[in-house]
Amino acid sequence: MRLLVVEDNRELAELLTKGLDAAGLAADVVATAQDARDVLATTRYAAIVLDLGLPDEDGLGVLRSLRAREDTTPVLVLTARGGVQDRVVGLRSGADDYLAKPFALEELVARLQALLRRPGELLGRSLRVGNITFDTEARQVFVGDTPQFFSAREVAVLEILMRRSGRVVSKKLVEDQLFGLSIDVGSNAIEVYIHRLRRQLADSGAKAQIHTVRGVGYLIAEDKAP
Ligand code: CA
């Protein structure tokens, strides 16, 4: 489980990473909004600690673009601006929590741990829907105990859906996430991947299905008992 710390104050960033490390949370650090955007385009983090006062851009801009592409990674905003108005703006922009400087490291760690426990997007290494399991590190999918063989792109699409199981995922989000993984997709590609996934999962006795929600997107859900 990796976190991203976006903080331009080097001493504070160092203090944060040490404190997180002591709590068993490894963190990458970037110091500008641009670096945050770059790393977030390709890397999935379990949570983000985001300073608002960054040298090149307001951290809220990073947060807004993250949420605009429906990325639900928990974000804890860290800022010197502790006023009620700033807090409201931060939360309205999609922050999950808000901590004003100066803060106690213990409180930051406790709040992050609470965010990581929050249900919603599945953050674990092993995903499960019905009898489909997905080891996200080994990139291996099983139906029951039987390993399944999909292309890397199909596996990427399945992961996006399984991380949001039971919820509708827009086609645009799937495209954006694939793009973020540097996977180039043609116009009908998503439909093709979904079609292949659906057929193979059905053929191998999966007790979950990928449903199409017309005009909206896709949803993977466990089959209801008859
Ligand atoms: Ca700052």
Side-chain angles (χ1 to χ4, degrees), residues 18 22 37 57 63 70 82 96 112 119 122 141-142 150 161 177 194 208:
K18 277 192 190 145
R37 287 176 189 280
E57 191 193 327
L63 177 58
E70 298 180 43
D96 297 276
L112 274 173
L122 290 164
V141 179
F142 296 86
F150 294 112
L161 297 180
Q177 296 253 321
I194 296 276

Side-chain angles (χ1 to χ4, degrees), residues 60-83:
L60 283 178
V62 176
L63 177 58
R64 287 197 183 106
S65 39
L66 198 68
R67 296 308 185 225
R69 56 175 197 264
E70 298 180 43
D71 186 320
T72 58
T73 304
V75 173
L76 187 149
V77 159
L78 209 57
T79 177
R81 309 171 207 168

Side-chain angles (χ1 to χ4, degrees), residues 7-9 51-55 101:
E7 171 59 69
D8 60 314
N9 180 322
D51 178 34
L52 294 191
L54 297 170
K101 297 176 184 174

Side-chain angles (χ1 to χ4, degrees), residues 17-185:
T17 47
K18 277 192 190 145
L20 293 173
D21 192 54
L25 299 166
D28 292 338
V29 180
V30 293
T32 65
Q34 189 55 53
D35 286 350
R37 287 176 189 280
D38 288 349
V39 72
L40 287 169
T42 54
T43 311
R44 181 191 294 280
Y45 287 96
I48 302 167
V49 178
L50 178 66
D51 178 34
L52 294 191
L54 297 170
D56 52 339
E57 191 193 327
D58 194 310
L60 283 178
V62 176
L63 177 58
R64 287 197 183 106
S65 39
L66 198 68
R67 296 308 185 225
R69 56 175 197 264
E70 298 180 43
D71 186 320
T72 58
T73 304
V75 173
L76 187 149
V77 159
L78 209 57
T79 177
R81 309 171 207 168
V84 173
Q85 197 50 41
D86 292 325
R87 202 176 289 238
V88 169
V89 170
L91 294 172
R92 283 215 180 116
S93 305
D96 297 276
D97 202 357
Y98 200 102
L99 204 52
K101 297 176 184 174
F103 56 88
L105 200 52
E106 292 84 346
E107 183 173 8
L108 174 77
V109 170
R111 286 185 182 222
L112 274 173
Q113 285 167 333
L115 282 183
L116 294 170
R117 278 195 303 269
R118 195 179 276 188
E121 186 164 357
L122 290 164
L123 298 164
R125 169 192 164 136
S126 179
L127 308 175
R128 184 177 185 94
V129 180
N131 62 346
I132 306 171
T133 50
F134 187 162
D135 181 331
T136 58
E137 282 178 27
R139 313 301 298 163
Q140 180 63 62
V141 179
F142 296 86
V143 172
D145 294 328
T146 314
Q148 304 295 312
F149 298 96
F150 294 112
S151 74
R153 290 168 185 214
E154 289 157 11
V155 163
V157 171
L158 185 63
E159 179 177 8
I160 293 164
L161 297 180
M162 285 185 73
R163 284 194 183 276
R164 297 165 181 79
S165 68
R167 288 193 275 160
V168 179
V169 182
S170 71
K171 191 177 155 196
K172 175 155 193 325
L173 175 69
V174 177
E175 283 169 352
D176 289 349
Q177 296 253 321
L178 290 180
F179 187 74
L181 298 168
S182 303
I183 297 174
D184 205 8
V185 287

